[in-house]
Amino acid sequence: MATLNLDYLKTFALVAELGSFSAAAERLGLTQPAISLQVRALEKQLGVRHSKGVLGRVRLGTGATPCAFMLPPLLADLNCRFPDLDITVATGNSADIVRAVDDNLLDIGLVSLPVSGRMFEVTPLFDERFVAIAPAETSLPDTVTAETLAQRPLILYEPGANTRRLTDEWLAADGGTAVKPVMALGSVAAIKEMVAVGLGAALVPEIALRAHDRERLVVRPLSPPLSRRFALVLRRDKRLDRALRETLAALKTLAALEPEPLI
């Protein structure tokens, strides 16, 4: 085998570190086609394009709720099928996740829309519906309005979070009065526990409810409905190696998932 070109090896390592050809080109002061040619030349010399299994790292960013209630079985399945696939997961609000994808600190974002920027490829996946929850034995109508909830102590998300903004807007629609919650928490799990022991009612994503929650909480749909759409976001110039392709294919199966019916 001929001697490997060390410059090409350094280029390949930089592409892997930064996550895209364009980012590596910018760092090295070269054009993206030049970077692509160097990597293809190295692959040709080595006679390999990750053809065996899935080798590499995928950096995924998402919110705390999808991470806790949707990703575990999906990631476990990927780990079982592709033991050589290294997936790291970071949580944060959607704006921070999108910024990290733009900066090549993350490869994929699973975030709530809207997302702006022509550099992104955005694939809508599913609508995250919100429901009202209250302590067991609470008398609630079949469909809950903002007016109904405003009459009860409310436990909401902490200020500054996108979820809090969304729920505040719903509660204030149609001239509703501003709501002063008795608690503002950063965790949907904490909110559910506080409601379960009788400290108030809340608005939570339906995907965050499990069978045992439905046994200890009253759960009702909202009128008007409240939801937000989640999507996959990645840079258009992201090099789709097999590790990334398999991860994206698995994440796209989330579009077919439906929460358990309320009734």
Side-chain angles (χ1 to χ4, degrees), residues 145-154 179:
T145 64
E147 183 180 2
T148 301
L149 281 184
Q151 299 170 6
R152 301 178 178 277
L154 284 181
V179 174

Side-chain angles (χ1 to χ4, degrees), residues 16 19 45-46 69 85 120 124-125 132 163-164 167 173 190 192 196 211:
Q45 189 173 9
L46 294 174
F69 297 99
L85 175 57
F120 295 123
L125 288 185
T163 306
R164 175 62 182 273
T167 54
K192 290 191 301 179

Side-chain angles (χ1 to χ4, degrees), residues 212-225:
H212 74 281
D213 292 319
R214 296 168 187 270
E215 296 172 358
R216 63 191 184 134
L217 298 170
V218 174
V219 184
R220 294 288 188 271
L222 303 178
S223 178

Side-chain angles (χ1 to χ4, degrees), residues 6 13 29 41 59 69 95 97 101 117 121 131 147-149 153 175 177 180 193 198 203 207 216-217 222 235 251:
L6 294 182
R59 302 162 299 174
F69 297 99
I97 295 297
V101 171
E121 179 179 330
V131 294
E147 183 180 2
T148 301
L149 281 184
T177 59
K180 295 181 179 180
E193 293 304 316
L203 296 168
I207 62 171
R216 63 191 184 134
L217 298 170
L222 303 178
R235 288 177 59 119
L251 288 168

Side-chain angles (χ1 to χ4, degrees), residues 72-256:
L74 183 149
L75 297 179
D77 177 68
L78 278 172
N79 182 66
C80 181
R81 292 189 291 128
F82 308 111
D84 294 329
L85 175 57
D86 178 21
I87 299 182
T88 62
V89 181
T91 59
N93 64 51
S94 291
D96 290 340
I97 295 297
V98 170
R99 191 176 302 112
V101 171
D102 186 26
D103 292 339
N104 278 302
L105 300 175
L106 293 172
D107 301 307
I108 311 171
L110 175 59
V111 299
S112 59
L113 296 177
V115 172
S116 60
R118 289 180 296 178
M119 75 290 294
F120 295 123
E121 179 179 330
V122 180
T123 305
L125 288 185
F126 60 88
D127 289 324
E128 181 187 66
R129 296 193 299 266
F130 283 74
V131 294
I133 60 172
E137 310 303 327
T138 300
S139 178
L140 286 179
D142 291 340
T143 304
V144 171
T145 64
E147 183 180 2
T148 301
L149 281 184
Q151 299 170 6
R152 301 178 178 277
L154 284 181
I155 302 170
L156 299 180
Y157 285 85
E158 60 188 359
N162 288 340
T163 306
R164 175 62 182 273
R165 176 189 55 78
L166 189 70
T167 54
D168 279 354
E169 290 174 354
W170 184 85
L171 289 166
D174 297 326
T177 59
V179 174
K180 295 181 179 180
V182 295
M183 296 184 192
L185 307 175
S187 162
V188 67
I191 291 174
K192 290 191 301 179
E193 293 304 316
M194 294 299 181
V195 173
V197 298
L199 296 179
L203 296 168
V204 298
E206 192 176 0
I207 62 171
L209 298 178
R210 292 294 182 256
H212 74 281
D213 292 319
R214 296 168 187 270
E215 296 172 358
R216 63 191 184 134
L217 298 170
V218 174
V219 184
R220 294 288 188 271
L222 303 178
S223 178
L226 174 64
S227 67
R228 60 182 175 182
R229 175 154 289 195
F230 271 76
L232 293 177
V233 177
L234 69 158
R235 288 177 59 119
R236 292 186 181 277
D237 61 2
K238 178 68 65 174
R239 183 172 184 263
L240 297 182
D241 59 17
R242 192 180 174 194
L244 196 54
R245 291 199 308 271
E246 294 290 356
T247 304
L248 285 171
L251 288 168
K252 288 177 181 178
T253 64
L254 295 176

